[in-house]
Amino acid sequence: MDLSKPLAYRMSPKTLDDYVGQEHILGKDKILYRTIKADRLSSIILWGPPGCGKTSLARVISNTTKYKFIKINAVTSGVADIKNAVETAQNVLLNPSGKCILFIDEIHRFNKLQQDALLPFVENGTVILIGATTENPYFEVNKALISRSMVFHLQPLTDEDIFHVLKKSLTSPEGLASYTIEVEDSTLQKLAQTSNGDVRTALNGLEVAVLTTQMNEKGNIVLTDEIVKECVQTRKAVFDKSGDSHYDNISAFIKSMRGTDPDAALFYLARALNAGEDPVFMARRIVIAAAEDVGMANPNALVVATSAMQAVTMVGMPEARIILAEAAVYVATSKKSNASYLGINKALEDVANKDTGTIPMHIRNAPAEGMKKEGYGAGYKYPHDYPMHWVEQQYLPDKMIGTKYYIPDDTIEYK
């Protein structure tokens, strides 16, 4: 093992038995484990966050398969690289099996043309595809490729999994065994927690701590909580603001406000801001929630949310966080009614799909004298001329009489 390579690379598993985590797909009774062990793998897509073990799993497969294993990166490769891989696979002298396992890292970076170039070779079995992606493959990968592959969703590693890898790295010859390191388990556990399921982040932090800490008089490297914290800096952002988890977080934020949970709303707001989310985007979500979910139960929520969006635009970060928090809490703690939301949706559905008739003549506009003669506006009763500024008259078309769109619930109070 080349000890000049990063610790995270050196500690990557060589066999399935070395692999840590992902028991839901790699348990000994699971199909992926059995197909890798039997070397009967079909095309697969590995989907999961950074540092969860996608590339490590591909390396394990490369060590266990009898087929030629070719790796390319979608960021730096193109159609020509795919064709070269296929030609290599079909070269009977170099590859008697006539097929290869092609590992494509960051497969979501391939455009439609590049992904289409893979299809015939995946279809006829020349290429066994292993695609790795941090993005939702159902959005980013060609549907034809998805239909010819099994999608495995890898989860962030647990703190216990990462702690296990960190402990192993201290004694492994491929790891840090050449150093005499003194570190408490509690320190390693804090490092594991800070990495947010990304074992690469944890190992990189440990390596930096070891390489930048001077030995004591006994020749030992003593790692404390403070040293490790300094090497990792801040807790790793949970999601990329442009990635799939961006939408998960926004969904959770909106549903927390709708569900009247201000604590959860603030939590998901903090996650978004910590990941660099645009504060104006967050403000727009609050405006939408104020209209859709609070509605007529507290119309002032829309005023507060709109004012907050304007204030966020003028002020910017970091102070915008206070404005967003106030608006989110106000919307979250308000009474809720989606009566207006349901009403407009039903009305739009009727207008689009039904014969709704014509507008009654008495409420039509008659800007020209000739139109009055045709009956436009004839018989219209001006409500302000009547007691309580209301008078009974028909407003809906004849075909829609009796239709109810706005049905207030018991959260709406009328004075």
Side-chain angles (χ1 to χ4, degrees), residues 17 23 26-30 33-34:
D17 294 330
E23 289 294 322
L26 286 173
K28 293 188 177 180
D29 60 336
K30 304 297 182 181
Y33 178 90
R34 290 187 280 113

Side-chain angles (χ1 to χ4, degrees), residues 3 153 160 299:
L3 296 180
H153 194 177
E160 291 75 16

Side-chain angles (χ1 to χ4, degrees), residues 207-391:
E207 185 174 30
V208 170
V210 170
L211 297 179
T212 59
T213 302
Q214 292 187 345
M215 296 179 182
N216 62 15
E217 62 278 2
K218 297 179 180 179
N220 298 343
I221 295 175
V222 180
L223 300 182
T224 63
D225 288 354
E226 291 72 22
I227 291 174
V228 170
K229 182 179 179 181
E230 180 67 22
C231 292
V232 179
Q233 291 297 321
T234 58
R235 189 173 179 87
K236 189 177 183 292
V238 178
F239 68 95
D240 180 343
K241 63 179 180 179
S242 63
D244 181 55
S245 52
H246 153 87
Y247 298 102
D248 293 340
N249 195 78
I250 292 303
S251 176
F253 176 59
I254 293 169
K255 288 180 173 67
S256 297
M257 289 189 291
R258 179 182 299 147
T260 315
D261 191 332
D263 299 304
L266 288 175
F267 171 72
Y268 292 114
L269 174 62
R271 277 173 52 119
L273 296 177
N274 181 60
E277 187 64 83
D278 179 5
V280 178
F281 173 82
M282 300 302 295
R284 288 199 296 267
R285 300 308 102 188
I286 298 172
V287 170
I288 294 169
E292 178 181 341
D293 298 308
V294 177
M296 292 300 293
N298 180 11
N300 195 53
L302 185 57
V303 178
V304 171
T306 304
S307 298
M309 184 170 66
Q310 184 179 8
V312 166
T313 303
M314 292 187 298
V315 172
M317 289 292 286
E319 289 80 4
R321 75 191 190 283
I322 308 167
I323 301 165
L324 289 169
E326 181 179 338
V329 168
Y330 188 89
V331 169
T333 55
S334 289
K335 289 182 178 180
K336 305 296 190 298
S337 170
N338 67 343
S340 298
Y341 167 76
L342 294 176
I344 187 60
N345 286 351
K346 182 64 169 63
L348 285 169
E349 181 182 347
D350 284 353
V351 169
N353 300 303
K354 286 184 178 180
D355 176 7
T356 55
T358 59
I359 299 173
M361 292 297 290
H362 66 280
I363 59 172
R364 296 191 190 188
N365 192 28
E369 187 63 32
M371 296 177 69
K372 289 184 179 180
K373 293 179 181 179
E374 296 292 331
Y376 283 74
Y380 173 63
K381 299 175 183 178
Y382 187 56
H384 297 293
D385 290 341
Y386 295 85
M388 304 299 294
H389 305 273
W390 180 86
V391 62

Side-chain angles (χ1 to χ4, degrees), residues 83-145:
K83 290 180 177 178
N84 289 337
V86 171
E87 289 174 2
T88 300
Q90 294 176 331
N91 189 318
V92 179
L93 293 177
L94 297 176
N95 187 39
S97 69
K99 61 173 62 179
C100 72
I101 292 180
L102 178 61
F103 174 57
I104 304 178
D105 204 6
E106 309 280 358
I107 192 172
H108 61 276
R109 299 291 188 93
F110 266 172
N111 59 34
K112 185 178 185 301
L113 177 64
Q114 293 166 322
Q115 292 187 30
D116 284 346
L118 281 167
L119 277 175
F121 307 110
V122 172
E123 183 87 54
N124 64 25
T126 301
V127 167
I128 299 171
L129 173 67
I130 302 177
T133 177
T134 56
E135 303 297 327
N136 189 330
Y138 297 104
F139 294 149
E140 304 294 339
V141 177
N142 188 315
K143 287 182 174 58
L145 276 180

Side-chain angles (χ1 to χ4, degrees), residues 182-203:
E182 297 180 15
V183 59
E184 297 289 337
D185 283 355
S186 59
T187 299
L188 294 179
Q189 288 167 349
K190 289 176 182 176
L191 174 56
Q193 293 165 4
T194 305
S195 66
N196 260 1
D198 187 337
V199 70
R200 188 184 300 112
T201 294
L203 288 169

